[in-house]
PDB file of all heavy atoms in Angstrom:
ATOM      1  N   SER A 153      12.738 -63.196   5.265  1.00 85.00           N
ATOM      2  CA  SER A 153      13.476 -63.660   6.439  1.00 85.00           C
ATOM      3  C   SER A 153      14.216 -64.961   6.133  1.00 85.00           C
ATOM      4  O   SER A 153      15.308 -65.197   6.640  1.00 85.00           O
ATOM      5  CB  SER A 153      12.528 -63.864   7.619  1.00 85.00           C
ATOM      6  OG  SER A 153      11.652 -64.954   7.406  1.00 85.00           O
ATOM      7  N   MET A 154      13.639 -65.801   5.292  1.00 88.00           N
ATOM      8  CA  MET A 154      14.301 -67.054   4.919  1.00 88.00           C
ATOM      9  C   MET A 154      15.479 -66.791   3.981  1.00 88.00           C
ATOM     10  O   MET A 154      16.499 -67.485   4.037  1.00 88.00           O
ATOM     11  CB  MET A 154      13.281 -68.007   4.286  1.00 88.00           C
ATOM     12  CG  MET A 154      12.185 -68.417   5.265  1.00 88.00           C
ATOM     13  SD  MET A 154      10.881 -69.433   4.539  1.00 88.00           S
ATOM     14  CE  MET A 154      11.678 -71.031   4.552  1.00 88.00           C
ATOM     15  N   ILE A 155      15.351 -65.772   3.142  1.00 90.00           N
ATOM     16  CA  ILE A 155      16.482 -65.356   2.309  1.00 90.00           C
ATOM     17  C   ILE A 155      17.619 -64.883   3.202  1.00 90.00           C
ATOM     18  O   ILE A 155      18.788 -65.222   3.012  1.00 90.00           O
ATOM     19  CB  ILE A 155      16.056 -64.241   1.332  1.00 90.00           C
ATOM     20  CG1 ILE A 155      15.169 -64.821   0.230  1.00 90.00           C
ATOM     21  CG2 ILE A 155      17.286 -63.551   0.712  1.00 90.00           C
ATOM     22  CD1 ILE A 155      14.626 -63.767  -0.712  1.00 90.00           C
ATOM     23  N   ALA A 156      17.286 -64.075   4.221  1.00 84.00           N
ATOM     24  CA  ALA A 156      18.295 -63.572   5.149  1.00 84.00           C
ATOM     25  C   ALA A 156      18.957 -64.701   5.922  1.00 84.00           C
ATOM     26  O   ALA A 156      20.110 -64.590   6.348  1.00 84.00           O
ATOM     27  CB  ALA A 156      17.660 -62.578   6.125  1.00 84.00           C
ATOM     28  N   ALA A 157      18.229 -65.812   6.098  1.00 82.00           N
ATOM     29  CA  ALA A 157      18.777 -66.979   6.788  1.00 82.00           C
ATOM     30  C   ALA A 157      19.627 -67.844   5.859  1.00 82.00           C
ATOM     31  O   ALA A 157      20.126 -68.884   6.273  1.00 82.00           O
ATOM     32  CB  ALA A 157      17.640 -67.809   7.389  1.00 82.00           C
ATOM     33  N   GLY A 158      19.786 -67.416   4.596  1.00 84.00           N
ATOM     34  CA  GLY A 158      20.662 -68.117   3.670  1.00 84.00           C
ATOM     35  C   GLY A 158      20.007 -69.242   2.885  1.00 84.00           C
ATOM     36  O   GLY A 158      20.697 -70.070   2.286  1.00 84.00           O
ATOM     37  N   LYS A 159      18.689 -69.289   2.875  1.00 89.00           N
ATOM     38  CA  LYS A 159      18.000 -70.378   2.181  1.00 89.00           C
ATOM     39  C   LYS A 159      17.846 -70.070   0.689  1.00 89.00           C
ATOM     40  O   LYS A 159      17.607 -68.931   0.306  1.00 89.00           O
ATOM     41  CB  LYS A 159      16.624 -70.621   2.805  1.00 89.00           C
ATOM     42  CG  LYS A 159      16.694 -71.079   4.260  1.00 89.00           C
ATOM     43  CD  LYS A 159      15.314 -71.365   4.812  1.00 89.00           C
ATOM     44  CE  LYS A 159      15.389 -71.759   6.284  1.00 89.00           C
ATOM     45  NZ  LYS A 159      16.128 -73.025   6.459  1.00 89.00           N
ATOM     46  N   ALA A 160      17.973 -71.106  -0.121  1.00 93.00           N
ATOM     47  CA  ALA A 160      17.787 -70.985  -1.564  1.00 93.00           C
ATOM     48  C   ALA A 160      16.293 -70.964  -1.878  1.00 93.00           C
ATOM     49  O   ALA A 160      15.463 -71.392  -1.065  1.00 93.00           O
ATOM     50  CB  ALA A 160      18.456 -72.150  -2.283  1.00 93.00           C
ATOM     51  N   ASN A 161      15.955 -70.484  -3.083  1.00 94.00           N
ATOM     52  CA  ASN A 161      14.546 -70.390  -3.461  1.00 94.00           C
ATOM     53  C   ASN A 161      13.832 -71.737  -3.365  1.00 94.00           C
ATOM     54  O   ASN A 161      12.686 -71.826  -2.923  1.00 94.00           O
ATOM     55  CB  ASN A 161      14.416 -69.842  -4.883  1.00 94.00           C
ATOM     56  CG  ASN A 161      14.780 -68.373  -4.967  1.00 94.00           C
ATOM     57  OD1 ASN A 161      15.100 -67.747  -3.959  1.00 94.00           O
ATOM     58  ND2 ASN A 161      14.741 -67.813  -6.166  1.00 94.00           N
ATOM     59  N   ARG A 162      14.504 -72.805  -3.782  1.00 94.00           N
ATOM     60  CA  ARG A 162      13.875 -74.127  -3.746  1.00 94.00           C
ATOM     61  C   ARG A 162      13.611 -74.566  -2.305  1.00 94.00           C
ATOM     62  O   ARG A 162      12.582 -75.168  -2.016  1.00 94.00           O
ATOM     63  CB  ARG A 162      14.748 -75.148  -4.472  1.00 94.00           C
ATOM     64  CG  ARG A 162      14.075 -76.500  -4.679  1.00 94.00           C
ATOM     65  CD  ARG A 162      14.809 -77.342  -5.700  1.00 94.00           C
ATOM     66  NE  ARG A 162      14.843 -76.689  -7.006  1.00 94.00           N
ATOM     67  CZ  ARG A 162      13.825 -76.694  -7.867  1.00 94.00           C
ATOM     68  NH1 ARG A 162      12.685 -77.294  -7.532  1.00 94.00           N
ATOM     69  NH2 ARG A 162      13.927 -76.096  -9.024  1.00 94.00           N
ATOM     70  N   ASP A 163      14.538 -74.250  -1.403  1.00 93.00           N
ATOM     71  CA  ASP A 163      14.334 -74.591   0.009  1.00 93.00           C
ATOM     72  C   ASP A 163      13.143 -73.823   0.575  1.00 93.00           C
ATOM     73  O   ASP A 163      12.342 -74.354   1.351  1.00 93.00           O
ATOM     74  CB  ASP A 163      15.589 -74.258   0.827  1.00 93.00           C
ATOM     75  CG  ASP A 163      16.779 -75.101   0.421  1.00 93.00           C
ATOM     76  OD1 ASP A 163      16.559 -76.269   0.020  1.00 93.00           O
ATOM     77  OD2 ASP A 163      17.915 -74.600   0.484  1.00 93.00           O
ATOM     78  N   ILE A 164      13.044 -72.550   0.183  1.00 93.00           N
ATOM     79  CA  ILE A 164      11.925 -71.724   0.649  1.00 93.00           C
ATOM     80  C   ILE A 164      10.600 -72.304   0.149  1.00 93.00           C
ATOM     81  O   ILE A 164       9.621 -72.383   0.898  1.00 93.00           O
ATOM     82  CB  ILE A 164      12.091 -70.274   0.175  1.00 93.00           C
ATOM     83  CG1 ILE A 164      13.348 -69.647   0.793  1.00 93.00           C
ATOM     84  CG2 ILE A 164      10.862 -69.439   0.521  1.00 93.00           C
ATOM     85  CD1 ILE A 164      13.680 -68.266   0.259  1.00 93.00           C
ATOM     86  N   ALA A 165      10.585 -72.714  -1.114  1.00 94.00           N
ATOM     87  CA  ALA A 165       9.370 -73.298  -1.691  1.00 94.00           C
ATOM     88  C   ALA A 165       8.946 -74.548  -0.927  1.00 94.00           C
ATOM     89  O   ALA A 165       7.761 -74.745  -0.624  1.00 94.00           O
ATOM     90  CB  ALA A 165       9.603 -73.625  -3.165  1.00 94.00           C
ATOM     91  N   GLU A 166       9.900 -75.398  -0.578  1.00 93.00           N
ATOM     92  CA  GLU A 166       9.581 -76.635   0.129  1.00 93.00           C
ATOM     93  C   GLU A 166       9.067 -76.359   1.538  1.00 93.00           C
ATOM     94  O   GLU A 166       8.113 -76.994   1.998  1.00 93.00           O
ATOM     95  CB  GLU A 166      10.829 -77.528   0.195  1.00 93.00           C
ATOM     96  CG  GLU A 166      11.250 -78.089  -1.157  1.00 93.00           C
ATOM     97  CD  GLU A 166      12.518 -78.917  -1.065  1.00 93.00           C
ATOM     98  OE1 GLU A 166      13.104 -79.000   0.037  1.00 93.00           O
ATOM     99  OE2 GLU A 166      12.920 -79.490  -2.095  1.00 93.00           O
ATOM    100  N   GLU A 167       9.659 -75.398   2.224  1.00 91.00           N
ATOM    101  CA  GLU A 167       9.285 -75.134   3.608  1.00 91.00           C
ATOM    102  C   GLU A 167       7.978 -74.360   3.729  1.00 91.00           C
ATOM    103  O   GLU A 167       7.314 -74.419   4.763  1.00 91.00           O
ATOM    104  CB  GLU A 167      10.405 -74.372   4.321  1.00 91.00           C
ATOM    105  CG  GLU A 167      11.676 -75.193   4.493  1.00 91.00           C
ATOM    106  CD  GLU A 167      12.697 -74.501   5.382  1.00 91.00           C
ATOM    107  OE1 GLU A 167      12.284 -73.717   6.263  1.00 91.00           O
ATOM    108  OE2 GLU A 167      13.901 -74.754   5.195  1.00 91.00           O
ATOM    109  N   THR A 168       7.617 -73.625   2.695  1.00 91.00           N
ATOM    110  CA  THR A 168       6.384 -72.827   2.739  1.00 91.00           C
ATOM    111  C   THR A 168       5.245 -73.456   1.939  1.00 91.00           C
ATOM    112  O   THR A 168       4.141 -72.923   1.917  1.00 91.00           O
ATOM    113  CB  THR A 168       6.640 -71.413   2.181  1.00 91.00           C
ATOM    114  OG1 THR A 168       7.164 -71.519   0.840  1.00 91.00           O
ATOM    115  CG2 THR A 168       7.636 -70.660   3.052  1.00 91.00           C
ATOM    116  N   ASN A 169       5.550 -74.596   1.274  1.00 93.00           N
ATOM    117  CA  ASN A 169       4.558 -75.271   0.421  1.00 93.00           C
ATOM    118  C   ASN A 169       4.066 -74.369  -0.705  1.00 93.00           C
ATOM    119  O   ASN A 169       2.887 -74.416  -1.091  1.00 93.00           O
ATOM    120  CB  ASN A 169       3.371 -75.759   1.261  1.00 93.00           C
ATOM    121  CG  ASN A 169       3.765 -76.868   2.217  1.00 93.00           C
ATOM    122  OD1 ASN A 169       4.524 -77.773   1.864  1.00 93.00           O
ATOM    123  ND2 ASN A 169       3.256 -76.807   3.438  1.00 93.00           N
ATOM    124  N   LEU A 170       4.978 -73.530  -1.207  1.00 93.00           N
ATOM    125  CA  LEU A 170       4.681 -72.675  -2.345  1.00 93.00           C
ATOM    126  C   LEU A 170       5.383 -73.225  -3.583  1.00 93.00           C
ATOM    127  O   LEU A 170       6.376 -73.942  -3.475  1.00 93.00           O
ATOM    128  CB  LEU A 170       5.167 -71.250  -2.095  1.00 93.00           C
ATOM    129  CG  LEU A 170       4.476 -70.462  -0.976  1.00 93.00           C
ATOM    130  CD1 LEU A 170       5.238 -69.168  -0.706  1.00 93.00           C
ATOM    131  CD2 LEU A 170       3.029 -70.153  -1.339  1.00 93.00           C
ATOM    132  N   SER A 171       4.889 -72.843  -4.759  1.00 94.00           N
ATOM    133  CA  SER A 171       5.605 -73.186  -5.977  1.00 94.00           C
ATOM    134  C   SER A 171       6.819 -72.288  -6.108  1.00 94.00           C
ATOM    135  O   SER A 171       6.866 -71.196  -5.523  1.00 94.00           O
ATOM    136  CB  SER A 171       4.696 -73.014  -7.199  1.00 94.00           C
ATOM    137  OG  SER A 171       4.434 -71.627  -7.430  1.00 94.00           O
TER     138      SER A 171
END
Side-chain angles (χ1 to χ4, degrees):
S153 69
M154 296 175 80
I155 288 176
K159 297 183 183 296
N161 289 358
R162 189 165 299 280
D163 295 328
I164 296 173
E166 291 178 357
E167 293 189 28
T168 57
N169 293 318
L170 294 170
S171 70

